[in-house]
Amino acid sequence: MKHKILLIEDEKKLLRILKLVLEENGYKVKTAEDGGQGIDIWTQWKPCVVMTDLQMQPVGGMEVLKFGRLNFPEVPLIILTAFGSIKTAVTAMKNGAFDFLSKPVDHKQLLEIIEHALVVKKKDPKSLEDLIGSSNVMELIKKNILLFASTNSSVLINGESGTGKEIAARAIHQAGERQKGPFVKVNCAAIPRELIESELFGHKKGAFTGALQDRKGAFRQADHGVLFLDEIGDLPIELQAKLLHAVEEKTITPVGASSPIPVSVKILSATNLNLESMIAASKFRADLYYRLNTVSLHMPALRDKPADICELSFFFIKKFCQEFDKPVLKITDNAMRVLEKYSWPGNVRQLKNVIERAVITCSQDTITCDHLPENIKHIKPEQQLISRNMDENIFDMAAQEQNLMMCALEQCGWNQSSAAKVLGITRSALRYRLQKYGIAK
Ligand SMILES: Nc1ncnc2c1ncn2[C@@H]1O[C@H](COP(=O)(O)OP(=O)(O)OP(=O)(O)O)[C@@H](O)[C@H]1O
Ligand SMILES: [Mg+2]
């Protein structure tokens, strides 16, 4: 099947050349000479990748980008920029563009970017659909999720409240072989102390006052599937030993029963507490921590991935408009700027709530600053998300990158060629990174 590429560019000559180059390389191409025409073709023809110029009359490239993020967020959009307008390209990237290509266009680079966009598009399977965000750090998280889903190892997910730990856990379940099995969630903080053991391992009728009949318990309910232990840091210390035993022996003994029952469960756990300092304070068992933390996934705070704020906002606007039976609302640039500047202590959950409120209170067709809460508009300087420079993102990425490499290496018994294959990079690229981070077995 030929991949469909839509080109939007008002310089007719350039448009013809780009079309020719792409067609010669086996792509199906349609062209448009301004944004409005481009949006029409996009809607009807459903291309796999869109490439657009920025400065066009009457409808420019930023409008096309906005349209795309809202209606076809899965389609990569590449920006064509005139020489010297790199700043606008960076703004476009922050707003969710996939990449940019500067004019005059180098044909080899053009083909490479299109190929890359198609690979990335292909890689986002259904299991990751609910996880919105295309920032570098989110792309790495998605890669990690697919990798972790392919093994039986326990995964500890950490991150502040509202960063998407549960949504990541569900994606790991969906992306793995256990997807046909159940996903059972136990919130260790929400269950009274005296009931947790029975909640996890079940009980026999008459095992204690009130045990009127046999109960299966979460481990057996999750048999052949995934058990998600949420707020694991709140598990009482006396139960931690029992949990460790269950995880290590792959058997459980219901309260009041005499013989153990085998179970096959993949354990995911999540916390926003620092388990390492809890271990130091003797509140969490180190042996259990190492068992649960075979691999770990860190969900970054929203302020550490500002590039995702725009995409998440569009996603939630669309979601709530559908839910409340409204036509999809637009949002002004000013309102979006406010959202992008705020530091979001409550992370994605807080952004979701703010958008829900804006959709409810907006009676016209566009969300403006008037629909946003006062506290996020008038923020103190220290709460502001000062436009973070790239280095900070790279810093965050470095941690994720190391995480990913360690996991791949462990999965492949430290065979570098196999690990490189799993990661989709060359062996020398892997070696370079291992040296860079000083990783050795
Ligand atoms: N990347 C994302 N894409 C879409 N929705 C997200 C994303 N991250 C978080 N959310 C949404 O934000 C809300 C909070 O996410 P979730 O419950 O997974 O967070 P959490 O880290 O488990 O929070 P807590 O520590 O408070 O339990 C949910 O409604 C979830 O759907
Ligand atoms: Mg949670």
Side-chain angles (χ1 to χ4, degrees), residues 249-297:
E249 301 301 321
K250 300 189 171 59
T251 60
I252 53 106
T253 309
V255 183
S258 48
S259 45
I261 301 168
V263 283
S264 163
V265 170
K266 177 178 169 95
I267 309 264
L268 308 179
S269 37
T271 183
N272 51 22
L273 301 175
N274 182 337
L275 292 186
E276 278 163 7
S277 46
M278 288 182 69
I279 293 171
S282 305
K283 289 189 178 142
F284 204 89
R285 291 180 66 119
D287 45 10
L288 177 61
Y289 173 71
Y290 293 118
R291 259 291 157 190
L292 298 178
N293 193 14
T294 314
V295 284
S296 64
L297 188 67

Side-chain angles (χ1 to χ4, degrees), residues 128-133 138 142 157-169 185 187 228 230-231 270-272 299 305 308 312 315-316 319 346-353:
L128 297 178
E129 253 173 19
D130 292 338
L131 212 59
I132 307 302
M138 275 312 280
K142 288 180 188 173
I157 308 169
N158 59 34
E160 292 175 18
S161 183
T163 48
K165 296 186 291 296
E166 179 163 347
I167 218 172
K185 171 181 160 181
N187 185 337
F228 176 47
D230 204 4
E231 318 280 359
T271 183
N272 51 22
M299 298 306 286
K305 45 171 189 173
D308 285 344
L312 280 161
F315 171 77
F316 291 133
K319 173 186 156 60
N347 295 299
V348 184
R349 179 181 292 113
Q350 187 186 6
L351 173 64
K352 188 177 173 184
N353 293 342

Side-chain angles (χ1 to χ4, degrees), residues 195-405:
L195 291 183
I196 294 192
E197 183 172 4
S198 145
E199 182 80 23
L200 289 175
F201 309 122
H203 62 241
K204 296 293 283 179
K205 181 178 168 183
F208 48 86
T209 328
L212 300 178
Q213 45 196 313
D214 284 2
R215 174 169 193 188
K216 225 172 169 186
F219 263 89
R220 278 164 74 203
Q221 277 170 354
D223 206 8
H224 304 297
V226 166
L227 177 59
F228 176 47
L229 301 172
D230 204 4
E231 318 280 359
I232 187 74
D234 289 281
L235 188 70
I237 191 104
E238 63 273 15
L239 264 166
Q240 293 177 14
K242 287 195 175 148
L243 177 59
L244 176 67
H245 184 83
V247 178
E248 285 192 326
E249 301 301 321
K250 300 189 171 59
T251 60
I252 53 106
T253 309
V255 183
S258 48
S259 45
I261 301 168
V263 283
S264 163
V265 170
K266 177 178 169 95
I267 309 264
L268 308 179
S269 37
T271 183
N272 51 22
L273 301 175
N274 182 337
L275 292 186
E276 278 163 7
S277 46
M278 288 182 69
I279 293 171
S282 305
K283 289 189 178 142
F284 204 89
R285 291 180 66 119
D287 45 10
L288 177 61
Y289 173 71
Y290 293 118
R291 259 291 157 190
L292 298 178
N293 193 14
T294 314
V295 284
S296 64
L297 188 67
H298 174 69
M299 298 306 286
L302 187 51
R303 63 184 169 280
D304 290 330
K305 45 171 189 173
D308 285 344
I309 292 177
C310 179
E311 188 177 346
L312 280 161
S313 305
F314 280 136
F315 171 77
F316 291 133
I317 291 174
K318 195 171 174 188
K319 173 186 156 60
F320 287 116
C321 288
Q322 277 166 358
E323 217 169 293
F324 301 132
D325 231 354
K326 285 188 169 189
V328 177
L329 298 171
K330 293 189 275 240
I331 178 164
T332 61
D333 287 347
N334 270 347
M336 185 57 82
R337 221 166 292 140
V338 167
L339 297 177
E340 284 178 333
K341 269 193 178 159
Y342 185 58
S343 62
W344 301 108
N347 295 299
V348 184
R349 179 181 292 113
Q350 187 186 6
L351 173 64
K352 188 177 173 184
N353 293 342
V354 164
I355 299 280
E356 179 174 9
R357 176 182 179 276
V359 169
I360 292 173
T361 52
C362 176
S363 51
Q364 278 99 31
D365 66 351
T366 305
I367 295 173
T368 67
C369 291
D370 292 343
H371 305 109
L372 302 178
E374 288 306 310
N375 66 325
I376 81 161
K377 280 189 280 187
H378 307 293
I379 42 178
K380 297 185 203 109
E382 69 269 20
Q383 286 179 318
Q384 245 194 49
L385 185 60
I386 310 149
S387 80
R388 298 192 148 238
N389 62 30
M390 298 274 191
D391 286 353
E392 279 170 286
N393 268 334
I394 289 168
F395 181 72
D396 211 345
M397 254 180 77
Q400 292 288 341
E401 200 171 57
Q402 290 175 49
N403 208 341
L404 193 62
M405 284 191 302

Side-chain angles (χ1 to χ4, degrees), residues 35-36 38-44 46-47 50 62-77 95-96 121 132 310-319 321-322 326-331:
I39 287 174
D40 288 344
I41 299 180
W42 192 339
T43 314
Q44 283 156 25
K46 309 250 173 349
V50 175
M62 284 311 259
E63 291 297 311
V64 178
L65 175 60
K66 268 193 200 164
F67 165 84
R69 297 324 298 158
L70 198 53
N71 296 285
F72 300 102
E74 73 288 359
V75 176
L77 183 138
N95 285 308
K121 180 179 151 60
I132 307 302
C310 179
E311 188 177 346
L312 280 161
S313 305
F314 280 136
F315 171 77
F316 291 133
I317 291 174
K318 195 171 174 188
K319 173 186 156 60
C321 288
Q322 277 166 358
K326 285 188 169 189
V328 177
L329 298 171
K330 293 189 275 240
I331 178 164

Side-chain angles (χ1 to χ4, degrees), residues 123 142-144 146-151 403-427 430:
K123 263 199 197 141
K142 288 180 188 173
K143 257 193 166 185
N144 266 330
L146 297 183
L147 196 58
F148 298 170
S150 66
T151 73
N403 208 341
L404 193 62
M405 284 191 302
M406 287 300 291
C407 180
L409 283 162
E410 272 165 22
Q411 193 189 324
C412 302
W414 285 80
N415 179 321
Q416 293 189 1
S417 305
S418 320
K421 221 182 233 169
V422 168
L423 293 164
I425 57 178
T426 62
R427 187 157 163 237
L430 176 64

Side-chain angles (χ1 to χ4, degrees), residues 1-7 19 22-30 45-50 76 111 114-123:
M1 192 193 73
K2 279 186 176 180
H3 290 294
K4 299 197 275 188
I5 316 288
L6 169 61
L7 295 175
K19 182 170 192 270
L22 290 175
E23 282 177 344
E24 270 175 4
N25 283 277
Y27 295 108
K28 223 172 171 175
V29 181
K30 280 203 178 181
W45 193 52
K46 309 250 173 349
C48 312
V49 175
V50 175
L111 294 169
I114 298 267
E115 240 169 69
H116 185 207
L118 286 166
V119 170
V120 170
K121 180 179 151 60
K122 235 186 352 212
K123 263 199 197 141

